[in-house]
Structure formats: structure tokens, C-alpha cells
């Protein structure tokens, strides 16, 4: 499984207890794919099945859970247009996270079962999307580490 290490770290760092990991049902994942007319990569399906409806303190403040997935790409396109960004989202992109309305992350559906992730952040001088991680599972592991440091710094309690 792609996210075994992520799940273990979430629990060890007390970012989420096992009962706070609220996954989607297989039927919800299938319905999402049907509505969007796509097949999601296996690593992302695993995320949805593990914590697609919530994950305790993990990713709080970001729009990345099931209830927002149908609108994230529209929000990302709107942000790019507002900022006159020279690139368009690739046609095969799937926006899986937006944070506070000024940054988002996506992967390309054509890049495998654990695809690289790309990001955009408002207010930078970038003229192209940044490849942030080689694998979606690496993206999640990095986020777990960041959230863990934040929580234990006394800031994010």
C-alpha cells in the first residue's frame, strides 16, 4: 500500500487517532470518478479510502476532503485567471488540495498510480507550475512531517 507509512506517522505523531481517520466508501470513490469522467491513481484512491472525509488535525485548514473535490479544479482555474498566470492547468490535471484560497496542488492523471505532484502559490514570481514531489505519497509524508512539527512547536495545538 502506498500510504502505510503516512498512516503510521499520522497516528504516532497524534495528528489523528485511528477513529479520526474517516475514509470514503468504495462507492463514493466510484461515484466521484463517474462524475468527473476519470480514473483516479491508486495512491489517491487509497487516500480517499483511508481519510477522504477527515483526518483529525491533519490538513485542517485546507480544502482536500471529499466534500470539496468537485469544485477544487474550478477554484484553481479562477485563482490562475485572477493572477494572470501564463500557464493553464493541464487537461489531465486533478486538483486535490487548495490551501486558504491562495495555493493549490495537483497531479496529472497520465503520470501513473503514484504520480508526481505540482503546485501553484499566489504571490510568487513563478511563471510555470512547480513540481513539488516525485510521488503523491511523498507529498502526503511531507505534509505529515510539517503538521507534526507545527503541532509540537506549540503553535498549532
Amino acid at each position: 500500500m502506498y500510504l502505510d507509512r503516512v498512516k503510521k506517522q499520522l497516528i504516532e505523531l497524534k495528528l489523528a487517532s485511528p477513529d479520526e481517520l474517516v475514509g470514503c466508501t468504495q462507492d463514493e470513490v466510484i461515484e466521484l470518478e463517474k462524475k468527473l469522467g476519470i480514473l483516479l491513481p491508486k495512491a489517491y484512491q487509497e487516500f480517499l479510502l483511508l481519510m477522504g472525509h477527515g483526518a483529525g488535525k491533519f490538513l485542517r485548514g485546507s480544502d482536500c476532503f471529499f466534500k470539496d473535490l468537485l469544485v477544487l479544479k474550478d477554484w484553481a482555474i479562477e485563482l490562475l485567471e485572477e493572477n494572470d498566470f501564463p500557464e493553464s492547468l493541464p487537461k489531465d490535471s486533478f486538483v486535490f488540495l487548495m490551501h486558504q484560497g491562495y495555493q493549490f496542488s495537483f497531479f496529472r492523471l497520465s503520470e501513473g498510480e503514484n504520480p508526481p505532484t505540482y503546485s501553484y502559490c499566489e504571490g510568487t514570481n513563478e511563471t510555470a507550475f512547480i513540481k513539488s514531489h516525485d510521488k503523491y505519497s511523498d507529498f502526503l509524508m511531507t505534509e505529515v512531517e510539517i503538521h507534526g512539527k507545527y503541532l509540537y512547536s506549540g503553535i498549532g495545538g
Side-chain angles (χ1 to χ4, degrees):
M1 305 223 341
Y2 296 104
L3 305 185
D4 288 344
R5 197 169 135 238
V6 170
K7 180 180 178 182
K8 184 177 183 242
Q9 282 294 103
L10 276 173
I11 293 166
E12 282 181 11
L13 292 172
K14 296 183 175 34
L15 293 171
S17 64
D19 62 318
E20 289 176 312
L21 295 175
V22 183
C24 296
T25 65
Q26 189 68 49
D27 287 343
E28 286 175 316
V29 174
I30 291 167
E31 186 62 29
L32 176 66
E33 289 178 323
K34 280 184 186 172
K35 282 182 181 174
L36 295 172
I38 61 173
L39 289 176
L40 293 165
K42 295 289 184 218
Y44 187 70
Q45 288 180 16
E46 194 174 318
F47 166 82
L48 291 174
L49 294 170
L50 177 65
M51 59 182 122
H53 284 294
K57 295 178 180 90
F58 184 54
L59 295 173
R60 237 185 232 163
S62 294
D63 298 305
C64 62
F65 295 109
F66 188 78
K67 67 180 180 62
D68 297 313
L69 295 179
L70 292 174
V71 295
L72 290 182
K73 191 169 187 176
D74 292 337
W75 292 351
I77 290 168
E78 190 177 303
L79 180 62
L80 294 174
E81 289 171 354
E82 285 173 8
N83 289 287
D84 296 318
F85 193 68
E87 267 193 69
S88 296
L89 277 172
K91 291 208 183 307
D92 68 338
S93 64
F94 180 82
V95 178
F96 62 86
L97 179 139
M98 180 166 270
H99 183 70
Q100 310 266 317
Y102 71 91
Q103 73 182 60
F104 66 86
S105 294
F106 68 94
F107 51 73
R108 298 185 70 174
L109 298 167
S110 60
E111 293 188 324
E113 295 300 341
N114 194 7
T117 61
Y118 303 89
S119 65
Y120 170 80
C121 186
E122 184 175 56
T124 65
N125 293 324
E126 300 297 337
T127 57
F129 296 113
I130 304 299
K131 182 179 179 182
S132 57
H133 295 86
D134 289 331
K135 298 176 186 168
Y136 175 72
S137 58
D138 293 343
F139 169 87
L140 282 180
M141 197 66 226
T142 299
E143 289 296 313
V144 168
E145 290 166 0
I146 290 168
H147 280 70
K149 286 178 187 167
Y150 181 71
L151 181 67
Y152 291 108
S153 70
I155 300 170

